[in-house]
Amino acid sequence: MLGSALVRQLTAQGYTNILTATRQQLDLANQAATNQWFEQHRPDYVFLAAAQVFGIGANVSGEVILNNLQVEINVIDAARRNGCIKLLFPGSNCVYPKFPRLPITEDQLLTGSLEPTSESYAAAKIAGIMMCKHFRKQWGFNAITVMPCNLYGPNDKYNLDHAHVMAAMINKFVTAKETDQPSITLWGDGSALREFLYADDAADAIILCMKEYNSEEPINIASGEEVSLKHLADMIATATAYTGNIIWDTTKPTGTPAKGLDISKITNMGWQQQYTLSKGIPLAIEWFKRL
């Protein structure tokens, strides 16, 4: 999702020498293959958009931490050793403590316990953030990290076993509408507050950071607007014209109560989102319907 959005935005901004590789063309968990690709292509700027990420039901496993660590180690080190001028590594808002001071400032990283339902993924992301920080300190490698909130949009994962909350809701509401289901069931109690950012807005912010941000400290990227999951469900129900009952399964996890990010750094650089939820949700729904 993020990688394809970056390609769209880079192309729209006039960049033409864009190197990409699909999973079939390059297994980034394979160190030898990754080293060979970097030795052959020697890219000047690297956006490390590749990651294995699931939803709240599957982000805690040995597989998640193993695969993400392998990709991060292989790509960041290969970039450093093959002349990369600058690398950008996206972290995640799940790396912050479960009960932070709100809005979450970047300096709260590693100041509290993680949310258990995303612990494996968060731990892998924290390792990547530390790699970027200490590669800069020891070797002068210009690696920066950004902290996105929940992203959504084209090429999101809509499989219910692996989807994040926005994609899972879109799948459930569209399917319920098309099959005349009288009700749908959602996880948790709906009270959790979340920020959602359309993938193309995230890509725009990330490209700006690649151009202008040069610090070992992470920088938050988010919409600046938190909504409860109950309100999000209502918005998606309206957008899909679904009028059935919404049942909240409180035996399932709700997740971190609130994760709103302080985005003063990125907004001070002149960035602002273009796709509000009222604009982005219908676009994501239409994309899903074309699958």
Side-chain angles (χ1 to χ4, degrees):
M1 175 175 59
L2 180 57
S4 60
L6 281 166
V7 171
R8 285 195 299 274
Q9 291 300 310
L10 287 167
T11 301
Q13 294 184 27
Y15 293 95
T16 56
N17 189 18
I18 303 171
L19 299 173
T20 61
T22 65
R23 288 185 178 89
Q24 291 70 35
Q25 294 170 328
L26 175 60
D27 178 8
L28 294 174
N30 183 316
Q31 187 176 52
T34 303
N35 287 337
Q36 183 179 25
W37 190 92
F38 273 86
E39 289 169 0
Q40 177 183 352
H41 296 285
R42 298 183 66 85
D44 290 329
Y45 299 90
V46 173
F47 298 89
L48 179 44
Q52 183 183 54
V53 56
F54 300 131
I56 192 170
N59 258 346
V60 181
S61 70
E63 178 186 7
V64 167
I65 194 168
L66 174 64
N67 291 348
N68 281 291
L69 282 175
Q70 287 176 328
V71 169
E72 294 165 11
I73 291 169
N74 294 343
V75 172
I76 296 171
D77 193 44
R80 175 189 68 86
R81 289 185 291 98
N82 285 281
C84 173
I85 296 171
K86 189 174 183 180
L87 178 142
L88 184 146
F89 174 66
S92 168
N93 60 356
C94 71
V95 305
Y96 289 122
K98 178 173 182 176
F99 299 108
R101 300 186 315 274
L102 297 172
I104 305 173
T105 50
E106 291 88 350
D107 59 4
Q108 292 187 61
L109 179 66
L110 299 178
T111 60
S113 300
L114 299 171
E115 160 59 39
T117 58
S118 57
E119 187 176 68
S120 297
Y121 183 68
K125 283 294 187 180
I126 290 170
I129 293 165
M130 291 298 107
M131 283 185 68
C132 290
K133 178 178 180 178
H134 290 286
F135 277 33
R136 175 186 290 272
K137 287 181 178 294
Q138 181 166 354
W139 293 299
F141 182 44
N142 191 6
I144 64 171
T145 58
V146 300
M147 301 293 212
C149 67
N150 296 46
L151 304 183
Y152 72 102
N155 295 307
D156 201 351
K157 290 182 178 179
Y158 289 92
N159 181 307
L160 292 180
D161 292 330
H162 297 157
H164 282 138
V165 61
M166 175 75 84
M169 283 190 184
I170 288 174
N171 185 331
K172 287 187 175 184
F173 278 103
V174 170
T175 302
K177 174 62 177 178
E178 292 177 346
T179 58
D180 294 320
Q181 296 178 20
S183 66
I184 66 168
T185 301
L186 303 177
W187 280 26
D189 61 14
S191 65
L193 298 174
R194 293 291 181 269
E195 286 180 284
F196 297 92
L197 189 64
Y198 197 69
D200 291 71
D201 274 334
D204 185 52
I206 284 171
I207 293 168
L208 177 63
C209 289
M210 180 65 90
K211 293 177 179 177
E212 300 185 10
Y213 191 73
N214 297 284
S215 172
E216 69 176 43
E217 300 301 326
I219 180 169
N220 291 335
I221 295 173
S223 65
E225 299 177 74
E226 278 192 303
V227 296
S228 72
L229 296 189
K230 279 188 177 179
H231 182 60
L232 177 68
D234 290 340
M235 292 183 72
I236 297 174
T238 299
T240 56
Y242 179 73
T243 57
N245 293 323
I246 300 173
I247 300 169
W248 292 91
D249 182 357
T250 56
T251 67
K252 301 295 186 181
T254 295
T256 301
K259 301 169 71 173
L261 300 179
D262 183 314
I263 56 171
S264 55
K265 284 185 179 180
I266 190 70
T267 54
N268 287 340
M269 292 169 61
W271 176 85
Q272 61 181 6
Q273 70 164 339
Q274 302 300 313
Y275 296 86
T276 61
L277 284 176
S278 60
K279 182 178 179 180
I281 287 174
L283 293 174
I285 290 170
E286 289 307 309
W287 193 89
F288 171 71
K289 287 180 176 179
R290 293 195 295 267
L291 288 179

